[in-house]
Amino acid sequence: MINSPSRARSLSVDGQVEPQTYFPELRKLLADWYHEHKRDLPWRQATDPYRIWISEVILQQTRVEQGRDYYHRFIERFPDAQSLAEATEDEVLKMWEGLGYYSRARNLHRAAQMVVSDFGGCIPRSQKEILQLPGIGDYTAAAILSFAFDLPYAAVDGNVFRVVSRLLHIDSPIDTPQGKKIFAAWADALLDRENPATHNQAMMEFGALHCTPTSPACLLCPLRRFCLADVAGCVHTLPVKKGGLRISNRYLYYIYVRVITPSGAYTYICRRPAGDIWQGLYEFPCIELDKKASLESLLQTTEVSVLLQITSGSMGSHPFKTFKHQLTHRNLWMHGYLLTALLDDVPEIEGFRSIPEEQLADYALPRALHLLIDSLPSR
């Protein structure tokens, strides 16, 4: 009979937990499963901490299938910390285009510059030092240190939260500080200190392929006799989260300006400001309102009035594209209007740069704006 860890609702004074006697057998079964079922992923062939770091950051909010192609392109363009550090932010954001959560790319860039300036171009193998790098938290640090250097740090991502919560029947919420401490302590107790890289990979792969969120393969689970949640009949209720996300709505009205001149067609873009979504990326003239608006309301805004006045152009009576773009905490209600003008020269508009339409591909734009571009009426 497996001794239950009292559902791990509390920690000792020093934050430690007592490893269970069956953990060595559980680790072996897990490693055996991993060697038989693991996917062939390019970053698993690497021991270079830089490549492992890039893969981990890409996969933080990205499916493996999508992340694989981005990983190859990113490594080809920036093969080491030096090349990444020397790039411009625009170059990095362009390579990241479509992955979303662009703060990851900006942090990678800043961290690479710090690696070059402070650590001689080498990813540090000290937990204290690696945690100083922008964008690297406990999970990413543990992943790099264990995968690249085989150091005994337990990497706890979403998959590991799920596996640990079910194996040990832990009902502490994973989205609270105390819950995270509890899971970190039990993941550390479960860690195979002689083979930390294999163990961490196995835990994450087991959660991704077998102990999945909605359809775990419990009947065929090699760890089933050790799973306390299976005994309690509550596998599908774990892990527990304290509360859901509060979703807000934003209404974005984009005006795509097309100025047609004897030398070709031009449009206007500007860089999005800091402190908001898509920071540092480029966009078209945008009016944000607090609710759905009619064309009449848009025409009354200062922004649209200025565009019409400067270009002497005309705007379509209906949006050429309307859709909802969902982010983690927000629903973006996107509307695209086309303003067309026939002019001899391209006028200047304060706050914007004019570029030939064919050069749009050279600038990093949010994925949502690519959907607008793809729907633009032809000239």
Side-chain angles (χ1 to χ4, degrees), residues 213-256:
T214 57
S215 302
C218 295
L219 295 179
L220 301 175
C221 182
L223 311 181
R224 188 177 185 186
R225 62 192 176 95
F226 298 119
C227 183
L228 298 178
D230 184 70
V231 172
C234 62
V235 169
H236 288 84
T237 67
L238 297 173
V240 172
K241 287 189 176 181
K242 185 176 182 180
L245 296 173
R246 181 181 178 183
I247 306 296
S248 61
N249 291 297
R250 297 177 65 172
Y251 300 86
L252 305 178
Y253 293 83
Y254 280 98
I255 313 300
Y256 185 94

mmCIF file of all heavy atoms in Angstrom, residues 213-256:
data_model
loop_
_atom_site.group_PDB
_atom_site.id
_atom_site.type_symbol
_atom_site.label_atom_id
_atom_site.label_comp_id
_atom_site.label_asym_id
_atom_site.label_seq_id
_atom_site.Cartn_x
_atom_site.Cartn_y
_atom_site.Cartn_z
ATOM 1 N N PRO A 213 -4.397 16.715 -20.291
ATOM 2 C CA PRO A 213 -5.411 17.429 -19.500
ATOM 3 C C PRO A 213 -6.797 16.793 -19.525
ATOM 4 O O PRO A 213 -7.433 16.646 -18.484
ATOM 5 C CB PRO A 213 -5.433 18.829 -20.136
ATOM 6 C CG PRO A 213 -4.093 18.982 -20.757
ATOM 7 C CD PRO A 213 -3.709 17.621 -21.240
ATOM 8 N N THR A 214 -7.285 16.422 -20.711
ATOM 9 C CA THR A 214 -8.681 15.984 -20.817
ATOM 10 C C THR A 214 -8.863 14.492 -21.085
ATOM 11 O O THR A 214 -9.904 13.941 -20.769
ATOM 12 C CB THR A 214 -9.399 16.767 -21.934
ATOM 13 O OG1 THR A 214 -8.683 16.588 -23.168
ATOM 14 C CG2 THR A 214 -9.451 18.248 -21.593
ATOM 15 N N SER A 215 -7.867 13.849 -21.667
ATOM 16 C CA SER A 215 -8.038 12.425 -21.995
ATOM 17 C C SER A 215 -6.820 11.609 -21.579
ATOM 18 O O SER A 215 -6.159 10.980 -22.409
ATOM 19 C CB SER A 215 -8.281 12.257 -23.499
ATOM 20 O OG SER A 215 -9.410 12.980 -23.914
ATOM 21 N N PRO A 216 -6.504 11.596 -20.279
ATOM 22 C CA PRO A 216 -5.346 10.814 -19.843
ATOM 23 C C PRO A 216 -5.591 9.318 -20.057
ATOM 24 O O PRO A 216 -6.701 8.828 -19.859
ATOM 25 C CB PRO A 216 -5.238 11.149 -18.354
ATOM 26 C CG PRO A 216 -6.626 11.559 -17.949
ATOM 27 C CD PRO A 216 -7.208 12.238 -19.156
ATOM 28 N N ALA A 217 -4.550 8.617 -20.467
ATOM 29 C CA ALA A 217 -4.678 7.174 -20.755
ATOM 30 C C ALA A 217 -4.447 6.377 -19.474
ATOM 31 O O ALA A 217 -3.471 5.622 -19.340
ATOM 32 C CB ALA A 217 -3.684 6.772 -21.836
ATOM 33 N N CYS A 218 -5.363 6.523 -18.535
ATOM 34 C CA CYS A 218 -5.174 5.924 -17.210
ATOM 35 C C CYS A 218 -5.126 4.396 -17.252
ATOM 36 O O CYS A 218 -4.350 3.767 -16.526
ATOM 37 C CB CYS A 218 -6.288 6.387 -16.272
ATOM 38 S SG CYS A 218 -6.251 8.166 -15.932
ATOM 39 N N LEU A 219 -5.971 3.781 -18.095
ATOM 40 C CA LEU A 219 -6.028 2.316 -18.123
ATOM 41 C C LEU A 219 -4.723 1.704 -18.612
ATOM 42 O O LEU A 219 -4.400 0.556 -18.280
ATOM 43 C CB LEU A 219 -7.192 1.853 -18.998
ATOM 44 C CG LEU A 219 -8.593 2.215 -18.503
ATOM 45 C CD1 LEU A 219 -9.651 1.714 -19.483
ATOM 46 C CD2 LEU A 219 -8.837 1.609 -17.115
ATOM 47 N N LEU A 220 -3.969 2.459 -19.417
ATOM 48 C CA LEU A 220 -2.715 1.949 -19.969
ATOM 49 C C LEU A 220 -1.503 2.610 -19.306
ATOM 50 O O LEU A 220 -0.397 2.503 -19.818
ATOM 51 C CB LEU A 220 -2.665 2.207 -21.475
ATOM 52 C CG LEU A 220 -3.800 1.583 -22.308
ATOM 53 C CD1 LEU A 220 -3.681 2.027 -23.763
ATOM 54 C CD2 LEU A 220 -3.766 0.066 -22.201
ATOM 55 N N CYS A 221 -1.705 3.250 -18.180
ATOM 56 C CA CYS A 221 -0.643 4.026 -17.550
ATOM 57 C C CYS A 221 0.355 3.132 -16.820
ATOM 58 O O CYS A 221 -0.039 2.365 -15.926
ATOM 59 C CB CYS A 221 -1.236 5.035 -16.576
ATOM 60 S SG CYS A 221 0.021 6.067 -15.793
ATOM 61 N N PRO A 222 1.638 3.224 -17.154
ATOM 62 C CA PRO A 222 2.643 2.418 -16.464
ATOM 63 C C PRO A 222 2.855 2.836 -15.015
ATOM 64 O O PRO A 222 3.438 2.088 -14.228
ATOM 65 C CB PRO A 222 3.912 2.666 -17.299
ATOM 66 C CG PRO A 222 3.704 4.009 -17.916
ATOM 67 C CD PRO A 222 2.229 4.086 -18.199
ATOM 68 N N LEU A 223 2.362 4.036 -14.655
ATOM 69 C CA LEU A 223 2.528 4.539 -13.287
ATOM 70 C C LEU A 223 1.239 4.428 -12.478
ATOM 71 O O LEU A 223 1.154 4.936 -11.363
ATOM 72 C CB LEU A 223 2.974 6.013 -13.323
ATOM 73 C CG LEU A 223 4.146 6.373 -14.233
ATOM 74 C CD1 LEU A 223 4.464 7.864 -14.127
ATOM 75 C CD2 LEU A 223 5.368 5.546 -13.898
ATOM 76 N N ARG A 224 0.249 3.732 -13.017
ATOM 77 C CA ARG A 224 -1.080 3.762 -12.421
ATOM 78 C C ARG A 224 -1.103 3.292 -10.972
ATOM 79 O O ARG A 224 -1.806 3.857 -10.134
ATOM 80 C CB ARG A 224 -2.047 2.918 -13.255
ATOM 81 C CG ARG A 224 -3.498 3.076 -12.794
ATOM 82 C CD ARG A 224 -4.461 2.294 -13.651
ATOM 83 N NE ARG A 224 -5.838 2.559 -13.261
ATOM 84 C CZ ARG A 224 -6.897 1.928 -13.761
ATOM 85 N NH1 ARG A 224 -6.719 1.000 -14.706
ATOM 86 N NH2 ARG A 224 -8.113 2.226 -13.338
ATOM 87 N N ARG A 225 -0.328 2.260 -10.653
ATOM 88 C CA ARG A 225 -0.395 1.740 -9.277
ATOM 89 C C ARG A 225 0.217 2.701 -8.271
ATOM 90 O O ARG A 225 0.085 2.509 -7.062
ATOM 91 C CB ARG A 225 0.267 0.367 -9.181
ATOM 92 C CG ARG A 225 1.742 0.318 -9.522
ATOM 93 C CD ARG A 225 2.168 -1.138 -9.664
ATOM 94 N NE ARG A 225 3.539 -1.289 -10.071
ATOM 95 C CZ ARG A 225 4.557 -1.478 -9.233
ATOM 96 N NH1 ARG A 225 4.326 -1.487 -7.925
ATOM 97 N NH2 ARG A 225 5.781 -1.626 -9.689
ATOM 98 N N PHE A 226 0.897 3.743 -8.772
ATOM 99 C CA PHE A 226 1.449 4.755 -7.880
ATOM 100 C C PHE A 226 0.609 6.027 -7.866
ATOM 101 O O PHE A 226 0.948 6.980 -7.164
ATOM 102 C CB PHE A 226 2.873 5.128 -8.314
ATOM 103 C CG PHE A 226 3.853 3.996 -8.255
ATOM 104 C CD1 PHE A 226 4.499 3.561 -9.394
ATOM 105 C CD2 PHE A 226 4.119 3.359 -7.050
ATOM 106 C CE1 PHE A 226 5.406 2.526 -9.343
ATOM 107 C CE2 PHE A 226 5.031 2.322 -6.986
ATOM 108 C CZ PHE A 226 5.671 1.892 -8.132
ATOM 109 N N CYS A 227 -0.468 6.077 -8.641
ATOM 110 C CA CYS A 227 -1.240 7.315 -8.814
ATOM 111 C C CYS A 227 -2.334 7.425 -7.760
ATOM 112 O O CYS A 227 -3.352 6.721 -7.808
ATOM 113 C CB CYS A 227 -1.845 7.355 -10.216
ATOM 114 S SG CYS A 227 -2.755 8.886 -10.545
ATOM 115 N N LEU A 228 -2.144 8.339 -6.817
ATOM 116 C CA LEU A 228 -3.112 8.501 -5.729
ATOM 117 C C LEU A 228 -4.411 9.139 -6.217
ATOM 118 O O LEU A 228 -5.482 8.874 -5.655
ATOM 119 C CB LEU A 228 -2.500 9.357 -4.621
ATOM 120 C CG LEU A 228 -1.249 8.768 -3.952
ATOM 121 C CD1 LEU A 228 -0.703 9.726 -2.912
ATOM 122 C CD2 LEU A 228 -1.569 7.414 -3.320
ATOM 123 N N ALA A 229 -4.351 9.952 -7.271
ATOM 124 C CA ALA A 229 -5.581 10.530 -7.804
ATOM 125 C C ALA A 229 -6.431 9.459 -8.466
ATOM 126 O O ALA A 229 -7.661 9.511 -8.409
ATOM 127 C CB ALA A 229 -5.251 11.637 -8.806
ATOM 128 N N ASP A 230 -5.802 8.470 -9.085
ATOM 129 C CA ASP A 230 -6.550 7.370 -9.683
ATOM 130 C C ASP A 230 -7.252 6.559 -8.595
ATOM 131 O O ASP A 230 -8.414 6.173 -8.748
ATOM 132 C CB ASP A 230 -5.607 6.470 -10.490
ATOM 133 C CG ASP A 230 -6.344 5.368 -11.222
ATOM 134 O OD1 ASP A 230 -7.063 5.685 -12.187
ATOM 135 O OD2 ASP A 230 -6.221 4.195 -10.811
ATOM 136 N N VAL A 231 -6.571 6.347 -7.491
ATOM 137 C CA VAL A 231 -7.182 5.627 -6.364
ATOM 138 C C VAL A 231 -8.389 6.397 -5.842
ATOM 139 O O VAL A 231 -9.438 5.817 -5.529
ATOM 140 C CB VAL A 231 -6.152 5.427 -5.225
ATOM 141 C CG1 VAL A 231 -6.839 4.850 -3.985
ATOM 142 C CG2 VAL A 231 -5.023 4.516 -5.681
ATOM 143 N N ALA A 232 -8.253 7.728 -5.786
ATOM 144 C CA ALA A 232 -9.337 8.566 -5.257
ATOM 145 C C ALA A 232 -10.408 8.853 -6.300
ATOM 146 O O ALA A 232 -11.452 9.430 -5.969
ATOM 147 C CB ALA A 232 -8.763 9.875 -4.730
ATOM 148 N N GLY A 233 -10.171 8.468 -7.548
ATOM 149 C CA GLY A 233 -11.155 8.703 -8.603
ATOM 150 C C GLY A 233 -11.320 10.163 -8.980
ATOM 151 O O GLY A 233 -12.420 10.584 -9.356
ATOM 152 N N CYS A 234 -10.239 10.938 -8.905
ATOM 153 C CA CYS A 234 -10.367 12.383 -9.178
ATOM 154 C C CYS A 234 -9.301 12.876 -10.158
ATOM 155 O O CYS A 234 -8.901 14.051 -10.098
ATOM 156 C CB CYS A 234 -10.310 13.175 -7.877
ATOM 157 S SG CYS A 234 -8.742 12.991 -6.995
ATOM 158 N N VAL A 235 -8.852 12.008 -11.044
ATOM 159 C CA VAL A 235 -7.802 12.393 -11.986
ATOM 160 C C VAL A 235 -8.191 13.633 -12.779
ATOM 161 O O VAL A 235 -7.398 14.557 -12.971
ATOM 162 C CB VAL A 235 -7.474 11.221 -12.940
ATOM 163 C CG1 VAL A 235 -6.589 11.694 -14.087
ATOM 164 C CG2 VAL A 235 -6.803 10.092 -12.182
ATOM 165 N N HIS A 236 -9.450 13.658 -13.240
ATOM 166 C CA HIS A 236 -9.864 14.744 -14.141
ATOM 167 C C HIS A 236 -10.071 16.082 -13.430
ATOM 168 O O HIS A 236 -10.262 17.107 -14.082
ATOM 169 C CB HIS A 236 -11.151 14.351 -14.879
ATOM 170 C CG HIS A 236 -10.939 13.291 -15.917
ATOM 171 N ND1 HIS A 236 -10.928 11.953 -15.611
ATOM 172 C CD2 HIS A 236 -10.688 13.377 -17.248
ATOM 173 C CE1 HIS A 236 -10.705 11.253 -16.721
ATOM 174 N NE2 HIS A 236 -10.557 12.094 -17.722
ATOM 175 N N THR A 237 -10.041 16.092 -12.114
ATOM 176 C CA THR A 237 -10.213 17.356 -11.389
ATOM 177 C C THR A 237 -8.885 18.011 -11.039
ATOM 178 O O THR A 237 -8.871 19.104 -10.462
ATOM 179 C CB THR A 237 -11.006 17.126 -10.087
ATOM 180 O OG1 THR A 237 -10.217 16.332 -9.178
ATOM 181 C CG2 THR A 237 -12.321 16.423 -10.372
ATOM 182 N N LEU A 238 -7.793 17.354 -11.375
ATOM 183 C CA LEU A 238 -6.472 17.866 -11.021
ATOM 184 C C LEU A 238 -5.669 18.203 -12.277
ATOM 185 O O LEU A 238 -5.817 17.538 -13.299
ATOM 186 C CB LEU A 238 -5.714 16.819 -10.182
ATOM 187 C CG LEU A 238 -6.338 16.460 -8.837
ATOM 188 C CD1 LEU A 238 -5.597 15.298 -8.198
ATOM 189 C CD2 LEU A 238 -6.332 17.657 -7.897
ATOM 190 N N PRO A 239 -4.835 19.224 -12.207
ATOM 191 C CA PRO A 239 -4.554 20.089 -11.063
ATOM 192 C C PRO A 239 -5.642 21.134 -10.841
ATOM 193 O O PRO A 239 -6.448 21.400 -11.732
ATOM 194 C CB PRO A 239 -3.226 20.746 -11.454
ATOM 195 C CG PRO A 239 -3.274 20.812 -12.936
ATOM 196 C CD PRO A 239 -3.973 19.557 -13.374
ATOM 197 N N VAL A 240 -5.618 21.732 -9.678
ATOM 198 C CA VAL A 240 -6.607 22.734 -9.296
ATOM 199 C C VAL A 240 -6.049 24.128 -9.532
ATOM 200 O O VAL A 240 -4.875 24.390 -9.284
ATOM 201 C CB VAL A 240 -6.976 22.566 -7.804
ATOM 202 C CG1 VAL A 240 -7.855 23.720 -7.326
ATOM 203 C CG2 VAL A 240 -7.673 21.229 -7.579
ATOM 204 N N LYS A 241 -6.902 24.999 -10.043
ATOM 205 C CA LYS A 241 -6.559 26.414 -10.155
ATOM 206 C C LYS A 241 -7.514 27.221 -9.290
ATOM 207 O O LYS A 241 -8.702 26.896 -9.193
ATOM 208 C CB LYS A 241 -6.633 26.886 -11.610
ATOM 209 C CG LYS A 241 -5.496 26.374 -12.478
ATOM 210 C CD LYS A 241 -5.510 27.046 -13.841
ATOM 211 C CE LYS A 241 -4.318 26.606 -14.676
ATOM 212 N NZ LYS A 241 -4.307 27.273 -16.003
ATOM 213 N N LYS A 242 -6.998 28.285 -8.684
ATOM 214 C CA LYS A 242 -7.801 29.074 -7.762
ATOM 215 C C LYS A 242 -8.894 29.845 -8.474
ATOM 216 O O LYS A 242 -10.025 29.919 -8.020
ATOM 217 C CB LYS A 242 -6.905 30.037 -6.985
ATOM 218 C CG LYS A 242 -7.648 30.830 -5.909
ATOM 219 C CD LYS A 242 -6.689 31.700 -5.120
ATOM 220 C CE LYS A 242 -7.425 32.459 -4.013
ATOM 221 N NZ LYS A 242 -6.497 33.323 -3.239
ATOM 222 N N GLY A 243 -8.551 30.438 -9.606
ATOM 223 C CA GLY A 243 -9.555 31.250 -10.293
ATOM 224 C C GLY A 243 -9.247 31.380 -11.762
ATOM 225 O O GLY A 243 -8.110 31.199 -12.198
ATOM 226 N N GLY A 244 -10.264 31.698 -12.541
ATOM 227 C CA GLY A 244 -10.081 31.853 -13.976
ATOM 228 C C GLY A 244 -9.576 33.238 -14.326
ATOM 229 O O GLY A 244 -9.491 34.137 -13.487
ATOM 230 N N LEU A 245 -9.226 33.400 -15.581
ATOM 231 C CA LEU A 245 -8.752 34.684 -16.076
ATOM 232 C C LEU A 245 -9.912 35.645 -16.299
ATOM 233 O O LEU A 245 -10.989 35.231 -16.721
ATOM 234 C CB LEU A 245 -8.003 34.492 -17.401
ATOM 235 C CG LEU A 245 -6.718 33.666 -17.356
ATOM 236 C CD1 LEU A 245 -6.211 33.449 -18.768
ATOM 237 C CD2 LEU A 245 -5.661 34.352 -16.516
ATOM 238 N N ARG A 246 -9.676 36.899 -16.012
ATOM 239 C CA ARG A 246 -10.671 37.928 -16.311
ATOM 240 C C ARG A 246 -10.400 38.440 -17.719
ATOM 241 O O ARG A 246 -9.326 38.963 -18.004
ATOM 242 C CB ARG A 246 -10.581 39.063 -15.300
ATOM 243 C CG ARG A 246 -11.617 40.147 -15.552
ATOM 244 C CD ARG A 246 -11.489 41.274 -14.542
ATOM 245 N NE ARG A 246 -12.450 42.333 -14.828
ATOM 246 C CZ ARG A 246 -12.522 43.464 -14.134
ATOM 247 N NH1 ARG A 246 -11.687 43.674 -13.132
ATOM 248 N NH2 ARG A 246 -13.417 44.376 -14.443
ATOM 249 N N ILE A 247 -11.365 38.258 -18.599
ATOM 250 C CA ILE A 247 -11.201 38.616 -20.005
ATOM 251 C C ILE A 247 -11.802 39.993 -20.267
ATOM 252 O O ILE A 247 -12.949 40.262 -19.900
ATOM 253 C CB ILE A 247 -11.868 37.584 -20.932
ATOM 254 C CG1 ILE A 247 -11.354 36.170 -20.621
ATOM 255 C CG2 ILE A 247 -11.624 37.941 -22.385
ATOM 256 C CD1 ILE A 247 -9.882 35.983 -20.881
ATOM 257 N N SER A 248 -11.017 40.865 -20.886
ATOM 258 C CA SER A 248 -11.521 42.187 -21.251
ATOM 259 C C SER A 248 -11.689 42.265 -22.770
ATOM 260 O O SER A 248 -11.106 41.474 -23.517
ATOM 261 C CB SER A 248 -10.555 43.281 -20.779
ATOM 262 O OG SER A 248 -9.290 43.130 -21.398
ATOM 263 N N ASN A 249 -12.485 43.223 -23.214
ATOM 264 C CA ASN A 249 -12.731 43.437 -24.641
ATOM 265 C C ASN A 249 -12.133 44.766 -25.080
ATOM 266 O O ASN A 249 -12.262 45.778 -24.384
ATOM 267 C CB ASN A 249 -14.241 43.441 -24.930
ATOM 268 C CG ASN A 249 -14.851 42.067 -24.746
ATOM 269 O OD1 ASN A 249 -14.498 41.128 -25.446
ATOM 270 N ND2 ASN A 249 -15.779 41.935 -23.798
ATOM 271 N N ARG A 250 -11.451 44.730 -26.229
ATOM 272 C CA ARG A 250 -10.907 45.953 -26.813
ATOM 273 C C ARG A 250 -11.373 46.028 -28.261
ATOM 274 O O ARG A 250 -11.423 45.012 -28.963
ATOM 275 C CB ARG A 250 -9.389 45.983 -26.717
ATOM 276 C CG ARG A 250 -8.886 45.992 -25.273
ATOM 277 C CD ARG A 250 -7.367 45.947 -25.188
ATOM 278 N NE ARG A 250 -6.742 47.151 -25.740
ATOM 279 C CZ ARG A 250 -5.434 47.398 -25.630
ATOM 280 N NH1 ARG A 250 -4.635 46.551 -25.001
ATOM 281 N NH2 ARG A 250 -4.928 48.499 -26.161
ATOM 282 N N TYR A 251 -11.683 47.242 -28.729
ATOM 283 C CA TYR A 251 -12.227 47.448 -30.073
ATOM 284 C C TYR A 251 -11.224 48.288 -30.869
ATOM 285 O O TYR A 251 -11.024 49.476 -30.591
ATOM 286 C CB TYR A 251 -13.587 48.132 -29.993
ATOM 287 C CG TYR A 251 -14.598 47.316 -29.200
ATOM 288 C CD1 TYR A 251 -14.678 47.441 -27.818
ATOM 289 C CD2 TYR A 251 -15.440 46.417 -29.843
ATOM 290 C CE1 TYR A 251 -15.578 46.673 -27.088
ATOM 291 C CE2 TYR A 251 -16.345 45.648 -29.117
ATOM 292 C CZ TYR A 251 -16.401 45.776 -27.740
ATOM 293 O OH TYR A 251 -17.287 45.015 -27.021
ATOM 294 N N LEU A 252 -10.582 47.635 -31.836
ATOM 295 C CA LEU A 252 -9.516 48.273 -32.609
ATOM 296 C C LEU A 252 -9.960 48.475 -34.049
ATOM 297 O O LEU A 252 -10.335 47.513 -34.731
ATOM 298 C CB LEU A 252 -8.244 47.414 -32.571
ATOM 299 C CG LEU A 252 -7.710 47.064 -31.176
ATOM 300 C CD1 LEU A 252 -6.488 46.170 -31.288
ATOM 301 C CD2 LEU A 252 -7.372 48.318 -30.380
ATOM 302 N N TYR A 253 -9.897 49.717 -34.497
ATOM 303 C CA TYR A 253 -10.293 50.061 -35.859
ATOM 304 C C TYR A 253 -9.049 50.511 -36.625
ATOM 305 O O TYR A 253 -8.470 51.571 -36.337
ATOM 306 C CB TYR A 253 -11.353 51.167 -35.839
ATOM 307 C CG TYR A 253 -12.660 50.684 -35.243
ATOM 308 C CD1 TYR A 253 -12.846 50.665 -33.862
ATOM 309 C CD2 TYR A 253 -13.678 50.214 -36.067
ATOM 310 C CE1 TYR A 253 -14.027 50.186 -33.312
ATOM 311 C CE2 TYR A 253 -14.867 49.741 -35.524
ATOM 312 C CZ TYR A 253 -15.028 49.719 -34.155
ATOM 313 O OH TYR A 253 -16.204 49.244 -33.616
ATOM 314 N N TYR A 254 -8.634 49.671 -37.563
ATOM 315 C CA TYR A 254 -7.434 49.961 -38.345
ATOM 316 C C TYR A 254 -7.807 50.603 -39.677
ATOM 317 O O TYR A 254 -8.719 50.138 -40.370
ATOM 318 C CB TYR A 254 -6.628 48.690 -38.585
ATOM 319 C CG TYR A 254 -5.796 48.312 -37.383
ATOM 320 C CD1 TYR A 254 -6.239 47.357 -36.469
ATOM 321 C CD2 TYR A 254 -4.574 48.937 -37.145
ATOM 322 C CE1 TYR A 254 -5.487 47.031 -35.358
ATOM 323 C CE2 TYR A 254 -3.812 48.618 -36.038
ATOM 324 C CZ TYR A 254 -4.274 47.670 -35.147
ATOM 325 O OH TYR A 254 -3.518 47.357 -34.040
ATOM 326 N N ILE A 255 -7.083 51.662 -40.000
ATOM 327 C CA ILE A 255 -7.282 52.350 -41.275
ATOM 328 C C ILE A 255 -6.057 52.062 -42.138
ATOM 329 O O ILE A 255 -4.964 52.583 -41.877
ATOM 330 C CB ILE A 255 -7.444 53.875 -41.092
ATOM 331 C CG1 ILE A 255 -8.436 54.181 -39.946
ATOM 332 C CG2 ILE A 255 -7.866 54.515 -42.408
ATOM 333 C CD1 ILE A 255 -9.827 53.626 -40.149
ATOM 334 N N TYR A 256 -6.235 51.224 -43.131
ATOM 335 C CA TYR A 256 -5.133 50.948 -44.049
ATOM 336 C C TYR A 256 -5.171 52.010 -45.132
ATOM 337 O O TYR A 256 -6.117 52.086 -45.921
ATOM 338 C CB TYR A 256 -5.273 49.558 -44.664
ATOM 339 C CG TYR A 256 -4.088 49.174 -45.537
ATOM 340 C CD1 TYR A 256 -3.031 48.454 -45.007
ATOM 341 C CD2 TYR A 256 -4.042 49.547 -46.878
ATOM 342 C CE1 TYR A 256 -1.940 48.111 -45.791
ATOM 343 C CE2 TYR A 256 -2.948 49.227 -47.668
ATOM 344 C CZ TYR A 256 -1.902 48.503 -47.124
ATOM 345 O OH TYR A 256 -0.826 48.175 -47.902
#
